[in-house]
Amino acid sequence: MLVMRRRAGESFLIGEDVEIEVLEVCGTRVKLGIVAPDSVLIQRKEMQITRDQNINAAGSVRQHNISSLLEKVSFQPAGASVKSLTPPSILAKRRT
Amino acid sequence: MPCIRTKCFGEMEYSTDAVYRFPHGLPGFETECDFLFLEQPATHPLMFLQSIATPEVCFILLPVLAADPDYKLSLSEEDLALLHLPPGRQPGIGEDVLCAALVCATSEEPCGPTVNLLAPVVVNLEEQIGIQAIQTQTKYSHRHPLIPRESEQELVSCS
């Protein structure tokens, strides 16, 4: 990993087209300004992690996984305090 | 009443009042904007977030407090605005908002089933608007194990 020290007001370039400027440093947070072509995707890393994790989560919704989840995991009682969002009529009208 | 094919519970009718709107979808599923929350006594405390447009798109949710009773929300001002919540104050879990984590239920992974506590689904119950909010304080893991490490001897590192 390349490590570089910069102060507020200083910037650096990535390739020809991407410029990143340190706008402000405040305590543990840094405010950055980014200039890049529209074709360059800029996103927080957490967003990419969440996208990948969502795709895995959706793929894991299988009956045997659900059964095994309910069998193996002892959930914290705090979860029981959450009020129901599903109007009873919906599940009552289940067709199959 | 409209009818929907669900991934886990077959076909069912639903009331349009029960639809929750996710204006930006969820990361990876940006075009899925309308969802139903489905719950059944047999799968309590799990909930199912079922897309109305695509039967295959369904997520298992667990209320965050069931995964971590001390869970704290830290929503950004942008996320508060998206949820139509007042700025400058974190909403109460279970009072102003529902806060639930997406479960990755796969049993093949070394850590077993995990929940994403980094990016919970947060829903304004009053207005039926939801988002998946990436927490601004990232002390929470996107793969928080549901089975405590010590109870499974063979588990290896989750990271």
Side-chain angles (χ1 to χ4, degrees), chain A residues 29 43-70 72-87 89-96, chain B residues 1 3 7-13 18 20 26-30 37-40 42-46 48 58-60 62-63 65-66 69 98 102-107 113-114 116 119 125 132 134 138 142-143 146-147:
Chain A
R29 309 189 78 170
Q43 59 180 350
R44 291 191 282 167
K45 185 170 179 189
E46 299 92 289
M47 179 63 83
Q48 188 190 33
I49 288 173
T50 296
R51 177 178 294 114
D52 293 347
Q53 199 61 19
N54 283 354
I55 291 166
N56 290 340
S60 78
V61 183
R62 302 267 170 253
Q63 207 57 57
H64 67 272
N65 282 341
I66 297 167
S67 311
S68 135
L69 187 65
L70 290 162
K72 285 190 188 156
V73 178
S74 48
F75 297 103
Q76 301 283 342
S81 64
V82 175
K83 58 183 158 187
S84 176
L85 286 188
T86 314
S89 59
I90 291 189
L91 292 176
K93 286 195 172 118
R94 225 177 108 188
R95 285 183 170 178
T96 50
Chain B
M1 262 194 183
C3 192
K7 183 161 184 178
C8 301
F9 305 109
E11 259 184 33
M12 55 176 74
E13 287 182 338
Y20 286 76
L26 276 69
F29 299 87
E30 286 81 2
F37 283 90
L38 305 175
E39 297 165 279
Q40 287 211 313
T43 54
H44 185 82
L46 302 177
F48 294 81
C58 176
F59 301 96
I60 304 173
L62 179 68
L65 297 180
L98 167 101
L102 265 70
V103 179
C104 189
T106 179
S107 42
T114 60
N116 184 350
L125 296 168
Q132 187 171 14
I134 296 173
T138 53
H142 66 287
R143 295 177 70 201
L146 282 174
I147 299 171

Side-chain angles (χ1 to χ4, degrees), chain B residues 76-106:
Chain B
S76 66
E77 291 299 317
E78 292 83 2
D79 284 346
L80 288 170
L82 282 172
L83 285 167
H84 299 182
L85 290 168
R89 170 185 162 265
Q90 292 298 321
I93 297 176
E95 297 157 23
D96 312 302
V97 293
L98 167 101
C99 182
L102 265 70
V103 179
C104 189
T106 179

Side-chain angles (χ1 to χ4, degrees), chain B residues 20-154:
Chain B
Y20 286 76
R21 178 97 186 136
F22 284 67
H24 300 286
L26 276 69
F29 299 87
E30 286 81 2
T31 56
E32 309 289 338
C33 296
D34 293 311
F35 287 89
L36 291 175
F37 283 90
L38 305 175
E39 297 165 279
Q40 287 211 313
T43 54
H44 185 82
L46 302 177
M47 292 181 284
F48 294 81
L49 186 64
Q50 172 67 55
S51 162
I52 292 184
T54 314
E56 259 311 289
V57 176
C58 176
F59 301 96
I60 304 173
L61 294 180
L62 179 68
V64 286
L65 297 180
D68 176 357
D70 298 319
Y71 192 81
K72 297 275 181 298
L73 262 180
S74 58
L75 297 180
S76 66
E77 291 299 317
E78 292 83 2
D79 284 346
L80 288 170
L82 282 172
L83 285 167
H84 299 182
L85 290 168
R89 170 185 162 265
Q90 292 298 321
I93 297 176
E95 297 157 23
D96 312 302
V97 293
L98 167 101
C99 182
L102 265 70
V103 179
C104 189
T106 179
S107 42
E108 292 87 50
E109 288 285 317
C111 335
T114 60
V115 280
N116 184 350
L117 293 182
L118 171 69
V121 163
V122 183
V123 175
N124 178 339
L125 296 168
E126 190 79 15
E127 304 213 16
Q128 302 196 187
I129 300 175
I131 58 169
Q132 187 171 14
I134 296 173
Q135 294 269 57
T136 53
Q137 290 169 12
T138 53
K139 63 171 180 164
Y140 292 114
S141 167
H142 66 287
R143 295 177 70 201
H144 175 87
L146 282 174
I147 299 171
R149 209 71 69 86
E150 49 275 17
S151 68
E152 293 266 319
Q153 295 299 322
E154 73 274 25

